[in-house]
Amino acid sequence: MKYKMIVLDLDDTLLRDDGTISPGNKQALMTAQEAGVKVVLASGRPTYAMRALADELHLERYGSFILSFNGAKIINWKTQEESFSSTLTPEMAHALHGMSLEEGVSALTYVGDDIITEEATKYTHVESEITGMKVVEVPSFAEAVQVPVVKVLMVAEPEKLVVVEEKLKAKMAGQLNVMRSKPFFLEFTEDGVNKGTSLNHLIQQLGIERSEVIAMGDGYNDVAMLEFAGLAVAMGNAPDEIKQIADYVTDTNMNDGVAKAVEHFVLKDLVPAT
């Protein structure tokens, strides 16, 4: 099988624990792109927080893509055009904030390049560190959020969010997509929007078949794209539940797991053996 697209989660997949791309991973992805394979960075991160990584991999040179906000946006990095975009109304964002208050957890969203919240917590600051975006603590979430937003996050201790997730998944079924991107992040996007459905939009635009797509991830918000892709690769550091749905388990994010999978499934068919 000749694969035409490699779709990659960022945190704990492509990126090492310090948030950087290893030389081995970078070289493998550059070689694949030079051979015509599209690389897609697919993350729950806002677009702003993916720019430097997209530039480091020269996605603009090869017409590769990013799927940000868990697939709520697809951007061609060469043209900077959005080929897909999904948002929540301000009213829905306000309603979710109200639910967060009822559940005793903190909520945040993004307006421009800022993280907006009424209550900054240690987890809000984790999001700031991951994204490089500034936290703006506001007196009124409703007054600060007057435009459509891509997603809302509820953040809290993992054991607390397990309970909140189960309750709100049932309450918002058919209205919103609810998923945890990290143990302490519970994300809300438009119903039917996830990395898998977004990936489906993209390959239809490009004329690529599902069977020609490799997806790699480690988290629960990667499940939809792993199940959609022709080849699902779980990281060695992924939870057992993620490994069980994968076709192949590679090495960890700290040991060039992405590069090893790319070399095994893509580059060996592109570069003659020596």
Side-chain angles (χ1 to χ4, degrees):
M1 170 59 67
K2 183 176 180 180
Y3 293 101
K4 297 181 179 179
M5 178 178 285
I6 303 167
V7 187
L8 301 163
D9 173 53
L10 293 183
D11 296 297
D12 302 313
T13 297
L14 173 62
L15 303 181
R16 294 179 289 193
D17 293 350
D18 63 359
T20 62
I21 302 173
S22 72
N25 282 350
K26 182 175 180 178
Q27 182 58 54
L29 294 173
M30 294 301 295
T31 302
Q33 287 185 107
E34 287 164 6
V37 178
K38 297 296 184 185
V39 168
V40 180
L41 303 184
S43 176
R45 292 185 180 203
T47 306
Y48 177 92
M50 299 174 69
R51 291 182 178 279
L53 298 168
D55 290 342
E56 182 177 352
L57 292 174
H58 299 287
L59 299 194
E60 80 291 342
R61 182 188 305 168
Y62 301 103
S64 287
F65 296 81
I66 68 170
L67 274 61
S68 55
F69 294 103
N70 273 319
K73 285 188 182 292
I74 303 174
I75 301 173
N76 180 320
W77 212 242
K78 183 174 184 177
T79 64
Q80 291 295 301
E81 294 175 341
E82 289 184 3
S83 58
F84 177 77
S85 181
S86 166
T87 57
L88 303 177
T89 65
E91 292 75 19
M92 179 57 78
H94 302 164
L96 287 167
H97 178 254
M99 292 177 208
S100 76
L101 296 177
E102 292 172 3
E103 299 300 330
V105 300
S106 181
L108 64 87
T109 192
Y110 314 90
V111 176
D113 293 336
D114 294 330
I115 298 170
I116 302 298
T117 185
E118 276 189 9
E119 180 189 11
T121 70
K122 64 181 180 181
Y123 297 119
T124 316
H125 290 295
V126 168
E127 178 67 353
S128 178
E129 290 171 3
I130 291 172
T131 62
M133 300 170 76
K134 181 176 66 174
V135 176
V136 178
E137 201 166 5
V138 297
S140 169
F141 188 91
E143 290 183 8
V145 180
Q146 294 291 316
V147 296
V149 298
V150 178
K151 68 177 181 179
V152 171
L153 266 69
M154 293 185 190
V155 298
E157 300 292 339
E159 56 271 21
K160 175 74 171 176
L161 275 192
V162 169
V163 178
V164 175
E165 178 184 18
E166 183 177 356
K167 180 177 179 179
L168 295 187
K169 267 189 174 178
K171 181 175 183 177
M172 305 309 292
Q175 300 180 64
L176 293 175
N177 188 53
V178 184
M179 64 187 147
R180 266 196 298 166
S181 56
K182 289 186 179 295
F184 40 80
F185 287 167
L186 183 61
E187 308 207 359
F188 299 81
T189 54
E190 187 178 9
D191 187 41
V193 173
N194 56 51
K195 291 183 182 182
T197 56
S198 186
L199 183 55
N200 188 31
H201 282 294
L202 180 58
I203 66 169
Q204 288 186 33
Q205 293 166 13
L206 299 177
I208 293 174
E209 301 294 329
R210 288 176 65 173
S211 60
E212 298 171 319
V213 177
I214 299 176
M216 301 189 212
D218 74 290
Y220 297 103
N221 64 325
D222 298 321
V223 169
M225 76 172 186
L226 291 173
E227 292 180 337
F228 179 82
L231 180 70
V233 177
M235 303 304 294
N237 50 286
D240 288 341
E241 301 96 309
I242 305 300
K243 292 178 180 176
Q244 288 169 4
I245 67 169
D247 301 305
Y248 181 82
V249 178
T250 187
D251 212 326
T252 68
N253 68 309
M254 291 299 288
N255 200 29
D256 285 351
V258 165
K260 289 175 180 177
V262 171
E263 288 162 2
H264 183 69
F265 290 106
V266 180
L267 301 188
K268 68 180 178 61
D269 293 327
L270 299 176
V271 182
T274 56

